[in-house]
């Protein structure tokens, strides 16, 4: 008998009805993605893991009190983003981090040299893409990451970043325009290769 695959939002509805198995399933599905996203704001693995766990525990404890959530995935990514940035600022001992989440660095770490790629042309293109990606402003990098790595829609990204839909479209368009000028090949294919090789 095949197991029914429920959407994230279906699981959230069941969680609000106190079904712990639905919470476990949602956690297993999203935990690694939330950790991966949090690591783009802080290299402290323990801090990020604590933040993700806190967000998930809080979600379970407040499951019946939480205001209606249109997309649980969007809600969790946004919560992790704010939690990691807030905790990273609090833990900063030397110097001071910006108080504005929007100005926190968003890092994509990738090393083509450490990855075996059979096609020398692909290796060179990925190396160039890596250099160009790291030159993009943090907000543009984050939007590309959320759109192509996490597979989120523009309206979900807008909600996570707390900006309007048109701003997401504009920033994504600018980033892609800059990158397209450097590559005659298909960007979606390069993004697929790039993000499949991102460090965890």
């Amino acid at each position: 008998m095949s197991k029914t695959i429920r959407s994230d939002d279906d699981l959230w509805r069941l969680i609000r009805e106190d079904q712990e198995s639905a919470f476990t399933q949602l956690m297993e599905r999203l935990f690694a993605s939330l950790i991966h996203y949090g690591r783009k704001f802080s290299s402290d693995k323990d801090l990020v893991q604590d933040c993700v766990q806190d967000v998930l525990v809080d979600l379970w404890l407040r499951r019946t009190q939480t205001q209606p959530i249109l997309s649980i995935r969007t809600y969790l990514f946004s919560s992790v983003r704010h939690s990691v940035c807030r905790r990273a600022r609090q833990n900063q001992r030397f110097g001071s981090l910006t108080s504005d989440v929007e100005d926190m660095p968003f890092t994509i770490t990738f090393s083509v040299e450490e990855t075996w790629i059979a096609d020398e042309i692909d290796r060179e293109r990925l190396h160039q893409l890596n250099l160009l990606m790291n030159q993009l402003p943090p907000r543009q990098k984050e939007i590309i990451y959320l759109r192509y790595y996490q597979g989120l829609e523009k309206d979900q990204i807008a909600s996570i970043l707390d900006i309007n839909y048109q701003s997401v479209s504009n920033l994504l368009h600018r980033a892609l325009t800059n990158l397209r000028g450097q590559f005659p090949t298909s960007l979606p294919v390069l993004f697929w290769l790039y993000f499949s090789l991102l460090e965890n």
Side-chain angles (χ1 to χ4, degrees):
M1 185 174 181
S2 62
K3 186 178 179 181
T4 303
I5 299 175
R6 300 182 186 276
S7 72
D8 297 341
D9 294 321
D10 286 340
L11 290 174
W12 170 236
R13 281 189 284 276
L14 293 173
I15 290 167
R16 286 176 63 82
E17 296 170 5
D18 290 335
Q19 293 198 27
E20 193 170 342
S21 61
F23 177 72
T24 301
Q25 193 175 341
L26 184 71
M27 215 170 60
E28 289 172 350
R29 181 181 296 175
L30 295 180
F31 189 79
S33 293
L34 294 171
I35 292 286
H36 197 274
Y37 182 53
R39 290 289 310 280
K40 303 307 166 195
F41 297 99
S42 173
S43 59
D44 187 331
K45 293 181 183 178
D46 293 334
L47 180 148
V48 172
Q49 187 160 326
D50 286 348
C51 288
V52 171
Q53 288 173 345
D54 288 349
V55 164
L56 291 170
V57 168
D58 187 59
L59 181 74
W60 174 254
L61 294 176
R62 296 173 51 234
R63 62 195 177 279
T64 58
Q65 303 164 5
T66 305
Q67 294 294 323
I69 295 172
L70 297 178
S71 167
I72 190 63
R73 181 179 289 256
T74 301
Y75 174 84
L76 289 172
F77 272 79
S78 179
S79 297
V80 166
R81 181 179 196 263
H82 286 281
S83 180
V84 170
C85 291
R86 184 175 59 249
R87 188 85 64 87
R89 284 195 304 270
Q90 291 170 350
N91 290 356
Q92 184 75 4
R93 295 183 180 182
F94 304 103
S96 61
L97 285 171
T98 175
S99 61
D100 192 354
V101 173
E102 283 65 39
D103 293 329
M104 289 290 290
F106 182 81
T107 59
I108 292 179
T109 53
F110 173 74
S111 175
V112 174
E113 290 73 21
E114 295 173 7
T115 307
W116 184 82
I117 302 172
D119 189 332
E120 187 64 32
I121 294 174
D122 279 345
R123 182 194 302 269
E124 182 55 33
R125 284 180 181 158
L126 286 170
H127 180 71
Q128 291 173 3
L129 181 60
N130 183 63
L131 293 174
L132 291 169
M133 287 278 283
N134 285 323
Q135 291 172 8
L136 292 174
R139 180 62 64 88
Q140 290 181 25
K141 281 198 290 188
E142 187 171 3
I143 288 172
I144 286 177
Y145 172 86
L146 291 170
R147 181 73 185 98
Y148 292 98
Y149 184 79
Q150 296 297 345
L152 298 177
E153 298 299 327
K154 291 179 188 176
D155 58 334
Q156 294 175 305
I157 297 170
S159 181
I160 291 169
L161 302 185
D162 197 24
I163 58 178
N164 64 46
Y165 180 93
Q166 190 58 50
S167 294
V168 171
S169 292
N170 293 345
L171 289 166
L172 183 59
H173 177 73
R174 275 185 223 141
L176 293 178
T177 299
N178 288 338
L179 295 173
R180 272 197 194 105
Q182 307 294 323
F183 294 103
T185 190
S186 166
L187 272 178
V189 172
L190 276 179
F191 283 144
W192 179 83
L193 276 170
Y194 183 86
F195 287 120
S196 70
L197 298 171
L198 274 176
E199 294 176 354
N200 294 322

